[in-house]
C-alpha cells in the first residue's frame, strides 16, 4: 500500500491509487480545501473540490464540462491514451457521460424510461429472487469464513444488470470480470483500450441478437433499441452499445460498494446496529448515512474549464481538469456538523451528493437504493449474528482511485 496523503516538491497533495487509510486521507484532503491543486499518478496535474458546497456548485457550473475536447493536457499530448486512469474518463461523443448541453439532454431523455420509478419497482421480485438464491448458496459454509463480496454483494447487482439487460448468467459474470480490470488503477499501459474494445464487441453482439427477436424481448436493451424505431431522433446502434456499456460502469460498481460498505459500517458500529434492530433508526437512514460516511465512489473524474473559472478564491484556468472528491466532501462540518467522523444514521444535518449533482446526477441511483433496501434486510434477517472474519484493519482496498472498493470482504455468517 502507498503512504497517506503526501505532497510533491511544490507542496501539492499527491493522490495515490491505493490510500493506506481511506478515512484519514479524506480528512487530510478536506483540510486542503475547499479547492486544491492535486497531482495524480504519472505526474498529471488537476484541481480537486474537497468541500461540499464548492463540489455541488462546480458540478452544476456550465463552464465546467465533460467533453475531453476542452482538456488542454490531452489535446497537447501531455496525457496520452495509455495513461492508466484514462479508463475512468469518458471520451466517446456517443457517451452521455462525455456530453454536455443539448446533446447530453437528448441521450438522458431517451434513456430515462428504464430508470423510471415504475420500471425500477418492477425489478423488485427479481432482486428478491436473486438475493434468496445467493443467500441460500451461503448456507453450506455459514460457520466458515467466506468472501461476502464475491458471493453476494457483487453477485446480486451483477445479476440485476443481467436481468435488466436480458442476458445470461455466464455473460454477466464475464462482464463483471472485465469491468474489474477496466477500473483497476494498476492496469497495464494500453490494456484498458483492449478491454474497452472487448466490451464494445460484447454489447454489439447483444444488440444484434435482440434486434433479431425484438418482439420477444422486454428488457432495458430492447427499450433502447425501440427508441431507434419510434422516431427520427432515436438512438443509433452505437449509442445503444455505449449506453449499455456506460450503465454497467456507472451503476454496478456503485451498488456493490454501497452494499459492502453498509455491512462493514454496521459491523464496526454495533451500537448503531443495535438501534437498527430496535427500530430506533431505519434501513433508509443507515443507507443514506453510509453514502455520506463511506461513499461508494471516492472521486469523480473529470470536468474541464471552457474559460477561466473563479472558485473559492482560486482560478481554474481554461483547459484545466477538475475532479470532485466525494470522499473529502463528506467531511464538511458546515454541511454535516462537527461530528463528521462518526457513523450516525440518526443524523439530520446535511444532504450528501454521493450520487452526484446537477445535469450528470446518477440516473441509476433509484435502482441502487432499491437493491440496498432489499438485499441488506434479507441478509441480516437470515444471518443476524454475522461477523467480520478478520480485523477491519486487515481489509484491503482495490487499486482504483475513483471507486471505494474492497478486494474481499471475509465474514463468518453464523459464528
Amino acid at each position: 500500500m502507498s503512504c497517506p496523503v503526501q505532497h510533491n516538491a511544490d507542496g501539492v497533495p499527491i493522490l495515490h491509487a491505493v490510500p493506506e487509510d481511506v478515512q484519514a486521507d479524506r480528512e487530510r484532503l478536506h483540510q486542503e480545501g475547499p479547492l486544491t491543486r492535486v497531482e495524480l499518478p504519472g505526474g498529471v496535474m488537476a484541481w480537486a473540490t474537497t468541500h461540499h458546497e464548492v463540489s455541488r456548485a462546480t458540478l452544476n457550473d456550465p463552464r465546467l464540462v465533460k467533453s475531453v475536447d476542452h482538456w488542454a493536457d490531452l489535446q497537447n499530448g501531455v496525457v496520452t491514451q495509455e495513461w492508466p486512469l484514462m479508463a475512468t474518463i469518458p471520451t466517446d461523443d456517443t457517451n452521455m457521460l462525455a456530453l454536455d448541453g443539448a446533446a447530453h439532454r437528448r441521450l438522458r431523455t431517451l434513456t430515462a424510461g428504464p430508470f423510471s420509478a415504475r420500471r425500477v419497482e418492477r425489478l423488485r421480485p427479481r432482486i428478491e429472487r436473486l438475493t434468496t438464491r445467493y443467500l441460500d448458496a451461503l448456507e453450506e459454509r455459514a460457520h466458515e469464513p467466506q468472501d461476502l463480496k464475491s458471493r453476494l454483494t457483487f453477485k446480486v447487482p451483477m445479476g440485476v444488470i443481467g436481468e435488466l439487460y436480458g442476458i445470461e448468467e455466464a455473460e454477466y459474470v464475464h462482464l463483471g470480470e472485465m469491468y474489474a480490470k477496466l477500473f483497476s488503477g494498476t492496469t497495464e499501459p494500453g490494456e484498458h483500450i483492449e478491454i474497452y474494445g472487448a466490451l464494445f464487441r460484447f454489447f454489439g453482439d447483444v444488440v444484434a441478437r435482440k434486434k433479431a427477436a425484438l418482439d420477444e424481448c422486454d428488457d432495458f436493451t430492447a427499450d433502447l433499441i425501440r427508441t431507434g424505431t419510434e422516431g427520427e431522433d432515436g438512438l443509433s446502434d452505437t449509442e445503444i452499445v455505449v449506453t449499455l456499456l456506460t450503465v454497467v460502469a456507472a451503476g454496478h460498481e456503485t451498488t456493490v460498494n454501497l452494499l459492502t460498505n453498509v455491512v462493514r459500517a454496521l459491523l464496526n458500529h454495533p451500537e448503531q446496529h443495535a438501534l437498527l434492530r430496535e427500530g430506533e433508526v431505519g434501513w433508509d437512514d443507515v443507507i443514506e448515512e453510509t453514502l455520506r460516511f463511506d461513499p461508494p465512489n471516492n472521486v469523480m473524474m473529470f470536468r474541464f474549464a471552457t474559460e477561466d473559472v473563479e472558485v473559492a478564491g482560486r482560478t481554474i484556468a481554461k483547459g484545466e481538469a477538475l475532479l470532485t472528491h466525494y470522499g473529502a466532501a463528506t467531511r464538511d462540518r458546515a454541511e454535516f456538523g462537527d461530528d463528521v467522523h462518526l457513523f450516525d444514521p440518526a443524523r439530520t444535518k446535511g444532504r450528501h451528493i454521493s450520487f452526484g449533482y446537477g445535469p450528470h446526477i446518477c440516473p441509476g441511483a433509484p435502482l441502487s437504493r432499491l437493491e440496498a433496501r432489499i438485499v441488506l434486510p434479507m441478509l441480516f434477517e437470515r444471518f443476524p449474528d454475522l461477523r467480520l472474519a478478520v480485523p477491519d484493519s486487515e481489509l484491503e482496498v482495490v487499486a482504483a482511485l475513483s471507486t471505494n472498493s474492497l478486494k474481499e470482504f471475509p465474514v463468518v455468517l453464523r459464528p
Side-chain angles (χ1 to χ4, degrees), residues 265-287:
L266 288 173
L267 297 186
N268 284 327
H269 299 86
E271 73 288 353
Q272 299 297 339
H273 193 183
L275 292 176
L276 175 67
R277 286 175 165 175
E278 294 162 4
E280 295 296 321
V281 296
W283 277 109
D284 285 350
D285 303 318
V286 170
I287 291 165

Side-chain angles (χ1 to χ4, degrees), residues 22 28 37 51 71 121 152 185 200 249 254 288 317 331 362:
V22 173
R28 293 185 185 100
R37 197 81 166 134
H51 286 197
W71 189 11
E121 185 59 32
L152 180 72
F200 198 93
T254 296
E288 296 306 315
R331 295 300 177 264
C362 178

Side-chain angles (χ1 to χ4, degrees), residues 20-203:
E20 182 176 289
D21 186 330
V22 173
Q23 298 286 12
D25 278 11
R26 290 169 178 164
E27 176 62 27
R28 293 185 185 100
L29 280 167
H30 180 77
Q31 295 301 328
E32 299 277 351
L35 177 75
T36 182
R37 197 81 166 134
V38 293
E39 179 181 322
L40 299 170
V44 174
M45 303 302 295
W47 291 96
T49 58
T50 60
H51 286 197
H52 179 88
E53 188 54 40
V54 167
S55 296
R56 194 170 72 161
T58 53
L59 286 168
N60 207 29
D61 191 325
R63 298 171 297 173
L64 297 163
V65 300
K66 296 291 290 183
S67 173
V68 294
D69 292 345
H70 296 277
W71 189 11
D73 282 350
L74 182 65
Q75 303 306 319
N76 297 335
V78 174
V79 174
T80 69
Q81 292 295 333
E82 284 70 40
W83 187 47
L85 298 182
M86 279 303 297
T88 66
I89 304 168
T91 59
D92 193 323
D93 62 7
T94 59
N95 185 335
M96 75 174 76
L97 299 182
L99 297 173
D100 306 285
H104 173 258
R105 288 192 295 274
R106 170 183 167 268
L107 284 180
R108 185 89 178 199
T109 300
L110 289 171
T111 58
F115 291 108
S116 67
R118 180 183 61 83
R119 185 81 188 203
V120 166
E121 185 59 32
R122 283 177 56 185
L123 289 169
R124 179 182 291 274
R126 304 183 195 183
I127 299 170
E128 291 172 345
R129 286 197 300 270
L130 280 168
T131 304
T132 298
R133 172 186 171 187
Y134 292 127
L135 289 175
D136 289 345
L138 292 171
E139 287 283 3
E140 185 177 351
R141 294 177 50 207
H143 298 286
E144 306 171 16
Q146 52 186 317
D147 179 18
L148 193 68
K149 179 178 178 180
S150 65
R151 303 202 67 196
L152 180 72
T153 62
F154 174 89
K155 283 194 169 184
V156 173
M158 203 70 242
V160 172
I161 289 290
E163 294 271 358
L164 191 66
Y165 283 15
I167 59 177
E168 300 298 322
E169 181 172 1
E171 292 182 304
Y172 61 71
V173 169
H174 179 54
L175 265 184
E177 293 169 350
M178 285 195 286
Y179 274 99
K181 292 181 181 179
L182 185 68
F183 288 105
S184 171
T186 57
T187 304
E188 294 295 325
E191 186 180 3
H192 67 275
I193 299 175
E194 297 177 10
I195 298 169
Y196 189 89
L199 287 167
F200 198 93
R201 291 190 295 275
F202 172 88
F203 286 120

Side-chain angles (χ1 to χ4, degrees), residues 120-369:
V120 166
E121 185 59 32
R122 283 177 56 185
L123 289 169
R124 179 182 291 274
R126 304 183 195 183
I127 299 170
E128 291 172 345
R129 286 197 300 270
L130 280 168
T131 304
T132 298
R133 172 186 171 187
Y134 292 127
L135 289 175
D136 289 345
L138 292 171
E139 287 283 3
E140 185 177 351
R141 294 177 50 207
H143 298 286
E144 306 171 16
Q146 52 186 317
D147 179 18
L148 193 68
K149 179 178 178 180
S150 65
R151 303 202 67 196
L152 180 72
T153 62
F154 174 89
K155 283 194 169 184
V156 173
M158 203 70 242
V160 172
I161 289 290
E163 294 271 358
L164 191 66
Y165 283 15
I167 59 177
E168 300 298 322
E169 181 172 1
E171 292 182 304
Y172 61 71
V173 169
H174 179 54
L175 265 184
E177 293 169 350
M178 285 195 286
Y179 274 99
K181 292 181 181 179
L182 185 68
F183 288 105
S184 171
T186 57
T187 304
E188 294 295 325
E191 186 180 3
H192 67 275
I193 299 175
E194 297 177 10
I195 298 169
Y196 189 89
L199 287 167
F200 198 93
R201 291 190 295 275
F202 172 88
F203 286 120
D205 291 341
V206 170
V207 170
R209 292 202 312 263
K210 296 288 181 182
K211 291 184 77 171
L214 192 57
D215 291 342
E216 302 170 16
C217 301
D218 180 23
D219 51 53
F220 180 41
T221 309
D223 287 349
L224 295 179
I225 293 170
R226 290 187 182 103
T227 68
T229 65
E230 294 173 354
E232 294 181 1
D233 197 37
L235 296 170
S236 67
D237 283 0
T238 299
E239 288 173 329
I240 294 168
V241 168
V242 173
T243 297
L244 293 172
L245 195 155
T246 302
V247 168
V248 181
H252 165 255
E253 182 75 6
T254 296
T255 307
V256 173
N257 297 341
L258 173 58
L259 295 174
T260 303
N261 294 352
V262 171
V263 177
R264 184 183 185 186
L266 288 173
L267 297 186
N268 284 327
H269 299 86
E271 73 288 353
Q272 299 297 339
H273 193 183
L275 292 176
L276 175 67
R277 286 175 165 175
E278 294 162 4
E280 295 296 321
V281 296
W283 277 109
D284 285 350
D285 303 318
V286 170
I287 291 165
E288 296 306 315
E289 173 64 354
T290 303
L291 285 164
R292 196 281 310 173
F293 176 76
D294 198 16
N297 297 308
N298 205 43
V299 170
M300 180 58 67
M301 300 166 59
F302 273 135
R303 281 173 172 75
F304 310 101
T306 58
E307 60 183 77
D308 290 357
V309 180
E310 297 293 327
V311 176
R314 308 187 74 174
T315 301
I316 303 172
K318 179 180 179 179
E320 290 186 326
L322 172 72
L323 62 85
T324 304
H325 204 297
Y326 291 128
T330 67
R331 295 300 177 264
D332 198 316
R333 279 74 167 166
E335 179 69 18
F336 302 108
D338 293 334
D339 60 346
V340 291
H341 59 289
L342 298 179
F343 175 69
D344 180 13
R347 184 183 305 278
T348 58
K349 183 177 175 57
R351 187 173 182 177
H352 69 77
I353 53 172
S354 297
F355 281 121
Y357 186 78
H360 285 272
I361 191 169
C362 178
L367 177 57
S368 187
R369 285 186 167 105

